[in-house]
Amino acid sequence: MSREFTRVGVIGLGTMGAGIVEVFARNGIDVVAVDITDEAVERGRSFLAKSTGRALDRGKIDQSEHDTLHGHVTYATDFESLADCQLVVEAVPEHLDLKKEIFAKLDAIVGPDAILATNTSSLPVTEIAASTTSPKRIVGMHFFNPAPVQQFVEVIRTVITADDVFEDVKALAERIDKKPVIVGDKAGFIANALLFGYLNHAVSMFESRYATREDIDASMKLGCGYPMGPLALLDLIGLDTAYEILDTMYKQGRDRLHAPSPIIKQMVSAGLKGRKTGRGFYTYAAAGSPEVVADAQTPAEGIAQGVALREISSVGVVGSGTMATGIIEVFAKAGKSVTFVARSQDKLDGVRAAIEKSQARAVEKGRATQEEADALLGRLHATTDRADLAEVDLVVEAIAEDLEIKQELFSELDKICKPGAILATTTSSLPIIDCARVTSRPQDVVGMHFFNPAQIMKLVEVVHTVSTGDDVIATVQELCREIGKHPVTCGDRSGFIVNALLFPYLNDAIKMLDANYATADDIDTAMKTGCGLPMGPFELLDVVGLDVSLAIERELYIEFREPGYAPAPLLEHLVTAGYLGRKTGRGFRTYA
């Protein structure tokens, strides 16, 4: 017979604990909220008051609901007040010895049928359970921050958890309007195991000065649609918390990708723990404030002294695919004269027809006038002869991802284009220096990695080689802003920013699935509802194409020689079988 949860306890009234109290109380459950000092209790009470006050001000609850919610909560500083609770959730800091001590005390206080749950995000639940005389009633109940908003809850079942315990906790999670997923007792569970490897990689990228904090964060927000950039998210989580989670995951799994980047510990030791201290990767207006203020690392605005921009009034685009077509339209919309080159008249006609159709939709939806659409189309010049690019100021290559084909093109462009013309490639993974070295002007070669669809996606990765001139980098950055894009700048290495952060995370998700730890649906749910990502990893892989994903992961592995980047065997097997995702009707899922 399932348990009726009418009275629960919560130990630890920090941001997370207070949020859990609110969740239970909002659903009509009486809550005993406990912390060790009167000051800590008052702090927890203030967290709850602020949260419910905001909900009241925004009309999400009325005054009666607000008062009723608070009426369900009582506060205490002693564990004895938890004696008649059917469930106690522990939400204290991530220290194993502290949690074991608390559970040992609770074990002697609560009734024999009461369930004890830990909100740990990374520590072994089994080891916590072993500190009690009745480990079968111990379970993990991992809420996500902010608990009143985030729907996802990981219910962690150990090898000794009783069936009725985890079933009752799962049912309770559903009762309080959460989306529970049952997982085993493995470091990081689903969400943190995937999230923190990605966050740690972003820190390494910043620590190596590959890209600025602003560009790393903008890349993942604009390139992947993430709600926050990785470094801003770490500041929100707290660098001390992040270090503890990564360190715990590394000690359990010995995966080098989870070994905390050294700068994290250095910053924690210096008191730079993120928003809560007013300074982390960014500087904030005050401790606890979300407002970012300028500091010594904030990039200077404008053009660097001594750098003169090149004039870009005419542009050439080589290619006729979806990406090339989008880039052509973007430049023409920004008022540039665009000469585009394809192999045949049919290809050229296809590009123009696609742009005409796009502009007709824009006029129909009121995003452009007919005069603006006609003017845009008037700036297009189609040709099958590359020699017609002789006088353009910039050429953007958007042909097949094949290095030999690109090198042949760059060698020809070097002979055709006027001195001072910039030669850009849209490659997402190939070495740009290998395109530059076949020319007599490597200082003029740069990467302009647009994202698909180019007409909509704001991000452009501006990728410089060791030879690219400072004026070329500055010119392309300014050009991106002129055409309505957000440029981020990085060096010439595989994956650049976005793919270098995204694809190891996707690869980790495949390995998790292959290990039968969780289903594709549960993993996707965890990352969408627990981390706020627009798509789960398997949804995204099927959209990108498993063959494309495998090619990128192979490039990353070859570039970095990192064992953790080696493509997951399951991905290789699916590609070999011809299951490439949506485009073939089957990938990680089957489509109609």
Side-chain angles (χ1 to χ4, degrees):
M1 187 173 177
S2 61
R3 294 169 176 82
E4 288 292 329
F5 295 102
T6 58
R7 188 174 179 82
V8 305
V10 177
I11 299 176
L13 301 181
T15 305
M16 178 59 77
I20 296 170
V21 170
E22 181 178 346
V23 169
F24 285 128
R26 189 177 290 223
N27 285 275
I29 299 172
D30 289 335
V31 186
V32 180
V34 177
D35 215 318
I36 56 173
T37 65
D38 291 334
E39 292 77 13
V41 167
E42 284 307 309
R43 186 174 65 248
R45 194 196 301 266
S46 70
F47 286 151
L48 182 59
K50 287 177 184 176
S51 177
T52 56
R54 284 194 300 268
L56 182 63
D57 291 342
R58 294 171 182 173
K60 294 181 179 179
I61 58 175
D62 60 29
Q63 189 64 53
S64 175
E65 290 170 322
H66 173 276
D67 296 344
T68 299
L69 187 158
H70 282 275
H72 281 296
V73 184
T74 57
Y75 296 90
T77 56
D78 63 291
F79 283 15
E80 296 296 334
S81 60
L82 301 165
D84 59 349
C85 291
Q86 295 107 2
L87 167 72
V88 179
V89 179
E90 163 274 310
V92 303
E94 289 285 273
H95 300 298
L96 183 59
D97 289 342
L98 174 61
K99 291 180 187 284
K100 288 168 69 173
E101 179 185 345
I102 288 172
F103 273 75
K105 288 180 180 178
L106 288 174
D107 192 37
I109 292 171
V110 299
D113 291 331
I115 295 173
L116 302 180
T118 174
N119 185 57
T120 183
S121 58
S122 59
L123 297 173
V125 179
T126 305
E127 194 167 342
I128 293 171
S131 65
T132 72
T133 60
S134 183
K136 67 180 183 180
R137 65 172 173 179
I138 311 302
V139 70
M141 197 175 187
H142 179 215
F143 290 80
F144 285 72
N145 196 24
V149 176
Q150 295 280 32
Q151 285 189 294
F152 185 59
V153 173
E154 289 174 318
V155 180
I156 300 95
R157 181 182 187 181
T158 75
V159 292
I160 47 180
T161 304
D163 290 347
D164 64 313
V165 168
F166 92 86
E167 288 291 354
D168 286 351
V169 170
K170 180 183 177 185
L172 174 62
E174 291 168 343
R175 174 184 159 191
I176 59 176
D177 296 324
K178 300 300 181 184
K179 292 183 178 178
V181 169
I182 306 295
V183 294
D185 188 16
K186 172 187 173 184
F189 315 129
I190 297 176
N192 281 351
L194 297 179
L195 175 66
F196 276 85
Y198 150 72
L199 295 178
N200 202 35
H201 188 183
V203 175
S204 297
M205 188 177 280
F206 170 76
E207 188 173 16
S208 67
R209 300 185 181 181
Y210 177 66
T212 67
R213 62 191 181 184
E214 287 85 0
D215 281 355
I216 292 170
D217 280 355
S219 293
M220 301 313 290
K221 289 173 65 180
L222 299 176
C224 297
Y226 285 9
M228 295 184 75
L231 302 179
L233 178 56
L234 280 163
D235 274 358
L236 176 61
I237 292 168
L239 272 64
D240 51 343
T241 301
Y243 180 83
E244 292 292 342
I245 291 172
L246 283 165
D247 190 49
T248 299
M249 289 168 58
Y250 175 70
K251 286 174 179 174
Q252 288 189 45
R254 297 297 173 184
D255 183 344
R256 199 198 66 79
L257 297 177
H258 290 150
S261 292
I263 194 174
I264 300 178
K265 188 169 187 180
Q266 293 167 20
M267 292 174 72
V268 171
S269 297
L272 311 179
K273 299 178 183 179
R275 280 195 194 180
K276 59 189 172 187
T277 60
R279 193 171 162 201
F281 288 104
Y282 295 90
T283 300
Y284 300 88
S289 170
E291 181 188 351
V292 175
V293 297
D295 59 20
Q297 294 187 59
T298 302
E301 294 183 3
I303 309 304
Q305 190 173 3
V307 175
L309 298 183
R310 301 187 189 185
E311 182 180 351
I312 307 292
S313 57
S314 60
V315 175
V317 178
V318 182
S320 57
T322 303
M323 180 60 78
T325 302
I327 293 170
I328 293 165
E329 186 173 355
V330 166
F331 279 122
K333 183 179 179 181
K336 305 296 180 185
S337 173
V338 184
T339 301
F340 61 100
V341 183
R343 293 192 302 270
S344 67
Q345 188 62 46
D346 285 347
K347 297 282 189 183
L348 295 173
D349 292 343
V351 170
R352 187 172 183 91
I355 296 175
E356 287 175 348
K357 184 177 179 181
S358 173
Q359 286 301 299
R361 283 197 304 269
V363 171
E364 183 183 345
K365 294 181 178 180
R367 294 196 299 263
T369 65
Q370 188 60 55
E371 291 75 16
E372 288 171 335
D374 292 341
L376 185 155
L377 294 168
R379 289 190 281 271
L380 303 180
H381 311 284
T383 179
T384 56
D385 188 355
R386 292 175 180 174
D388 290 337
L389 299 171
E391 294 304 315
V392 300
D393 302 312
L394 165 76
V395 178
V396 178
E397 163 276 308
I399 60 176
E401 282 286 275
D402 183 300
L403 184 58
E404 288 187 11
I405 295 174
K406 289 184 188 290
Q407 286 181 319
E408 180 274 327
L409 172 61
F410 271 80
S411 179
E412 186 175 353
L413 291 174
D414 184 41
K415 299 179 180 68
I416 292 170
C417 295
K418 66 184 181 182
I422 295 173
L423 308 181
T425 172
T426 61
T427 183
S428 61
S429 58
L430 297 174
I432 294 167
I433 193 64
D434 284 346
C435 294
R437 70 182 178 84
V438 300
T439 73
S440 62
R441 55 174 101 182
Q443 73 279 2
D444 294 337
V445 178
V446 71
M448 282 187 80
H449 181 213
F450 288 80
F451 285 73
N452 196 28
Q455 302 96 317
I456 296 172
M457 299 294 281
K458 289 286 187 184
L459 187 70
V460 176
E461 289 176 317
V462 179
V463 188
H464 57 83
T465 74
V466 292
S467 302
T468 307
D470 291 343
D471 61 332
V472 170
I473 298 170
T475 298
V476 173
Q477 289 171 332
E478 190 59 30
L479 175 64
C480 287
R481 298 184 189 100
E482 187 182 343
I483 63 175
K485 301 301 181 185
H486 184 108
V488 297
T489 307
C490 59
D492 180 23
R493 72 184 196 193
S494 186
F496 312 137
I497 299 175
V498 173
N499 284 350
L501 293 178
L502 176 64
F503 280 89
Y505 147 72
L506 296 176
N507 201 39
D508 283 347
I510 300 170
K511 292 176 184 176
M512 182 178 284
L513 177 67
D514 201 15
N516 296 310
Y517 179 67
T519 66
D521 286 346
D522 282 350
I523 294 170
D524 278 356
T525 297
M527 301 315 292
K528 287 194 296 183
T529 61
C531 300
L533 305 189
M535 299 180 78
F538 298 106
E539 290 178 283
L540 183 56
L541 283 158
D542 278 355
V543 169
V544 171
L546 273 59
D547 51 340
V548 174
S549 301
L550 178 59
I552 292 172
E553 289 177 7
R554 283 174 172 165
E555 288 289 339
L556 289 170
Y557 179 55
I558 291 169
E559 174 92 351
F560 295 102
R561 306 300 170 98
E562 171 57 60
Y565 292 173
L570 176 59
L571 179 62
E572 304 220 27
H573 296 165
L574 289 169
V575 172
T576 301
Y579 302 150
L580 308 182
R582 287 191 187 179
K583 59 188 173 186
T584 61
R586 183 171 173 184
F588 286 99
R589 294 184 175 87
T590 301
Y591 301 87

